[in-house]
Amino acid sequence: MQGAGSLAGGGLYLRKRELKYVNQSGIRLMGARGYEELLPYPFTSFFHPRDMPLIHELQKRLERGETTSPIEVELIRLDGTRTDVEVCGTSVVIQDKLRHYILIRDMTERKRVHEFLQNSEKLALVGQLAAGIAHEIRNPLTSLKGFIQLMQKDGMRKPEYFSIMSSELARIEMIVSELLVLAKPHASAFEVHDLTNLITHVVTLLETEAILQKVTIQVAFESPLPMVHCDENQLKQAFINFLKNGIEATSGSGEIVIRLWCEGDKVVIRFEDNGVGIPAEQLARLGEAFFTTKETGTGLGLMVSRRIIENHRGTLRLMSTPGIGTTVEVCLPVIS
């Protein structure tokens, strides 16, 4: 099993869960001088402890004679450095004995490409949001200007004026903060978050654009919802993309409903619009790079969003009927 270029494929041969042979690509990937240097180590010792359930499941499937689907885990090299890899395997019978072959592929370059696309799409989103944000900020600024003029003209110092002005300033601060957080490049940071608050912030950013397009946004959720372990910035980027697509599809007199509920060990988020819908042949291709139903689109938005959801060990499903509308369904694992 050989690899090429930056996506080096390390081929390993296992018997009874012990390493018996490693090819040259695998030796380089592990940071060894020769395969004999790797043989004393258990196969599982090369992976991060948090990925052990995935590795053990892969081993069990191989012992049942199955071919496994690729899994993404973190490899620990002999010098202690770590790298993201993709692991898959197959089993064959040789001389009446079951043998296991493992392919480990370096994902560093692929991760770098995905990160570049994600940041590029994020900046494009920020640019598209700018016009709506300008309107959103202009409205409270107009109110503030009016109250200041009243106070200067009449010398009025009514407490309610200060309360309204403080509220409007807080709204401006919140909108600008959300936009800056979305635009600012940052390392992936998975923490515990409340999806209800996250969705509320996303709606805040797109509310003005929806009003300008004569689209109403409603949020319906169960209470209380369990917390999720996620990168808040990345999920916001994906959700903004789904909501923005819905606004564009329903522009004129549409409605978008965002529903959140718990279903077993996962939370479901649905973005439902009553827009023009998407034909089946186009729906099947959505998410492909550079395939888009928009005149000025690139097709990268949905592709990046799908990758974000998959990085959160979630699933993304698109459902649409022409003339009725489109539903985007996201399922994310909850904290048990």
Side-chain angles (χ1 to χ4, degrees), residues 42-160:
F43 172 66
T44 54
S45 67
F46 296 107
F47 302 98
H48 195 284
R50 70 165 175 269
D51 294 322
M52 282 303 102
L54 293 174
I55 296 298
H56 289 152
E57 179 61 27
L58 178 141
Q59 290 179 316
K60 290 177 183 177
R61 293 187 62 184
L62 289 176
E63 288 167 0
R64 293 197 297 265
E66 301 176 13
T67 295
T68 68
S69 300
I71 57 173
E72 288 190 23
V73 293
E74 192 171 52
L75 181 77
I76 302 176
R77 295 156 54 93
L78 286 183
D79 61 4
T81 59
R82 301 175 183 179
T83 185
D84 293 321
V85 296
E86 188 178 71
V87 182
C88 60
T90 188
S91 299
V92 294
V93 176
I94 300 176
Q95 297 178 345
D96 297 326
K97 293 183 178 179
L98 193 63
R99 321 285 185 171
H100 309 311
Y101 291 90
I102 306 291
L103 178 67
I104 301 178
R105 176 171 293 177
D106 189 350
M107 298 288 289
T108 304
E109 189 62 28
R110 187 185 296 183
K111 290 272 188 180
R112 189 177 294 119
V113 171
H114 280 299
E115 184 177 348
F116 173 79
L117 287 175
Q118 185 172 313
N119 287 333
S120 298
E121 187 63 24
K122 183 190 295 184
L123 291 175
L125 273 177
V126 170
Q128 293 166 7
L129 288 171
I133 297 299
H135 281 279
E136 187 71 40
I137 292 176
R138 185 181 293 121
N139 289 337
L141 284 177
T142 301
S143 298
L144 290 170
K145 184 179 178 181
F147 280 116
I148 290 172
Q149 288 173 341
L150 277 174
M151 293 167 66
Q152 287 176 334
K153 181 179 179 180
D154 302 328
M156 300 174 69
R157 297 290 189 273
K158 292 188 176 180
E160 58 266 29

Side-chain angles (χ1 to χ4, degrees), residues 256-305:
I256 298 173
V257 180
I258 306 174
R259 304 185 191 277
L260 293 87
W261 73 90
C262 194
E263 198 171 275
D265 60 351
K266 61 186 178 183
V267 61
V268 182
I269 309 102
R270 273 192 177 178
F271 298 81
E272 304 172 354
D273 69 59
N274 61 351
V276 294
I278 305 169
E281 61 274 13
Q282 293 183 354
L283 187 67
R285 295 192 60 192
L286 285 182
E288 294 180 13
F290 308 113
F291 177 80
T292 179
T293 58
K294 305 174 187 176
E295 291 183 5
T296 58
T298 63
L300 295 176
L302 188 57
M303 185 189 77
V304 169
S305 298

Side-chain angles (χ1 to χ4, degrees), residues 144-192:
L144 290 170
K145 184 179 178 181
F147 280 116
I148 290 172
Q149 288 173 341
L150 277 174
M151 293 167 66
Q152 287 176 334
K153 181 179 179 180
D154 302 328
M156 300 174 69
R157 297 290 189 273
K158 292 188 176 180
E160 58 266 29
Y161 285 6
F162 292 103
S163 176
I164 295 172
M165 291 170 68
S166 177
S167 175
E168 295 291 66
L169 284 170
R171 180 163 177 77
I172 291 174
E173 183 181 23
M174 180 184 67
I175 292 167
V176 173
S177 296
E178 284 297 319
L179 192 61
L180 289 175
V181 166
L182 181 65
K184 182 180 178 181
H186 78 302
S188 180
F190 279 69
E191 298 176 350
V192 176

Side-chain angles (χ1 to χ4, degrees), residues 2-9 25 28 105-106 109:
Q2 299 296 328
S6 59
L7 296 177
S25 293
R28 289 193 298 271
R105 176 171 293 177
D106 189 350
E109 189 62 28

Side-chain angles (χ1 to χ4, degrees), residues 6-27:
S6 59
L7 296 177
L12 285 70
Y13 161 48
L14 272 69
R15 188 174 65 195
K16 296 182 179 179
R17 298 197 176 192
E18 295 181 358
L19 282 174
K20 295 300 178 182
Y21 176 75
V22 183
N23 70 1
Q24 288 300 313
S25 293
I27 292 168

